[in-house]
Amino acid sequence: MWAEYDRDTYYWLKQGHFCTKCRKQDAYTLNGRSLCYDCSVKDAKRHRDKRIVDNERIRQHDRDYRNSLIEKGICPKCKSRPLTEGYKSCAFCRTKTRKQNHKHNLKKGCIPREMKYSLGLCVTCGKPLDGQMKANGDPSRLCSKCYQKASKHCSDGAKTMRFLYSPVVQTETSLRVYKEKYNQYINMLKNGEINHLYIEDTGEYGYNKHITRETLAEQEVIQCQLSS
């Protein structure tokens, strides 16, 4: 009964060009709106405040759910594969994200990271190289500004490991550079300059390979036994 009364009252007020809340009449209601100016402002503010609260609650729920997956050792992106050691995602999702970012950057006209050095550009900021040298005397792939930032933020633990990514764009130059970096890091492992080498492939499924000085020595022993 009350619902029918409220519905009839609502339509009677709207047809008479009165506000359906405060029952006033102004330019808003005379123009066919169901609310006057004051009630429209109040209603918009109420919906805006409710949307802000709801969005923050949803974001907090997503953050808590993501953190719970990470604590359980599950990738928060695919929610099925285990995390890679030292990362907050699995190798497959990182490979997929790198491919998507690569396609997006190509559409924007950005030069891929693998091709910047061959064009004489800094692999980080994309500006022309200015002849910055490494501590061992080799030419750096970074400009002086990016090299100083990288040296400043490089911790002692990071100096004992290296990360190697297979090129997304597999050209003759990128594959040659990849092989050179691989051989360089393997020699650094043998000489004791670093202790860990992480190799991440960007193929269809992606894989991670962790090489240490111990595993490298074991592989050399096995190869010697097979050759003998």
Side-chain angles (χ1 to χ4, degrees), residues 94-112:
R94 286 197 307 278
T95 302
K96 185 177 179 181
T97 302
R98 288 188 66 198
K99 285 186 175 182
Q100 291 174 349
N101 294 339
H102 177 69
K103 291 180 180 179
H104 180 66
N105 292 334
L106 287 180
K107 289 181 180 180
K108 293 195 304 181
C110 299
I111 302 175

Side-chain angles (χ1 to χ4, degrees), residues 122-182:
C122 174
V123 298
T124 300
C125 64
K127 296 180 179 179
L129 295 173
D130 51 8
Q132 175 65 41
M133 305 298 289
K134 296 182 180 179
N136 58 2
D138 296 335
S140 175
R141 296 174 180 270
L142 305 176
C143 62
S144 57
K145 186 176 181 180
C146 294
Y147 185 83
Q148 292 176 0
K149 288 182 179 179
S151 301
K152 181 179 179 180
H153 295 288
C154 184
S155 61
D156 295 336
K159 294 178 182 178
T160 62
M161 65 179 67
R162 292 293 185 274
F163 293 88
L164 182 62
Y165 301 93
S166 63
V168 178
V169 181
Q170 295 188 356
T171 61
E172 183 178 354
T173 303
S174 63
L175 291 175
R176 177 178 55 80
V177 172
Y178 176 78
K179 292 179 180 179
E180 291 177 357
K181 297 299 293 184
Y182 176 80

